[in-house]
Amino acid sequence: DAFFQSVTETNDYVLMVLANGTEIRIPKVSAVAATLTLDKVTGFTATFNGQVIRHSLDLKVTVYYSTTDNLTVYKHTGKTSVTEFNGDTFTLRLTELAANTTYYYFTEVICDGTATFSEISSFRTGKEDSYVDWGEGENVGGDI
């Protein structure tokens, strides 16, 4: 005899119907916990905008940055973290950056005790009170 009558899958859940008719619905969880996009670089400040995809009591987003491209969690110039979120959105700023300097950065997302990291990206600051074209943003967080 089969243990299951049927197993079906939707975008939101997996539904298993046992041989005795009992239904078990397992919700799917998004693999990405948060997205973070570099919005603009103005003068000595880089501003990132983020969106929370999956809430958790221990959700934390950190940007590590340096003027060298071989940075790691343990080897960086500075870092800025967000642990308190305004609903589903947040803003993160790197301030007091040097003018006319290329900065390399990567992001770390901790969600439910698992840390995931983005690739290293870069941006360049301009002169004071100038706007710099920074390129494309990125998604952070991974399979958690």
Side-chain angles (χ1 to χ4, degrees), residues 91-104:
T91 299
L92 189 145
R93 288 184 180 83
L94 306 180
T95 60
E96 300 180 18
L97 301 172
N100 294 317
T101 302
T102 298
Y103 282 91
Y104 299 89

Side-chain angles (χ1 to χ4, degrees), residues 14 24 26 36 49 52 55 61 64 66 69 77-78 93 95 119 127 132 138 142-143:
V14 175
I24 301 172
I26 302 171
L36 187 66
N49 289 323
V52 176
H55 288 273
V61 178
Y64 295 89
S66 180
D69 64 355
T77 302
R93 288 184 180 83
T95 60
E119 298 292 322
K127 297 177 183 174
V132 176
E138 65 187 80
D143 294 336

Side-chain angles (χ1 to χ4, degrees), residues 26 28 47 56 60 62 71 73 81 88 98 101 115 127 135 138:
I26 302 171
K28 291 182 178 179
T47 302
S56 171
K60 179 180 178 181
T62 303
L71 72 158
V73 171
S81 300
D88 290 337
T101 302
K127 297 177 183 174
E138 65 187 80

Side-chain angles (χ1 to χ4, degrees), residues 27-35 52-61 107-118 139-144:
K28 291 182 178 179
V29 177
S30 173
V32 176
T35 59
V52 176
I53 306 301
R54 233 173 9 106
H55 288 273
S56 171
L57 293 177
D58 72 341
L59 180 62
K60 179 180 178 181
V61 178
T107 57
E108 173 189 46
V109 174
I110 297 174
C111 184
D112 295 330
T114 301
T116 57
F117 302 91
S118 71
N139 286 333
V140 298
D143 294 336
I144 298 175

Side-chain angles (χ1 to χ4, degrees), residues 109-134:
V109 174
I110 297 174
C111 184
D112 295 330
T114 301
T116 57
F117 302 91
S118 71
E119 298 292 322
I120 295 175
S121 298
S122 66
F123 63 86
R124 184 164 180 83
T125 57
K127 297 177 183 174
E128 188 172 1
D129 297 327
S130 66
Y131 176 81
V132 176
D133 184 11
W134 44 264

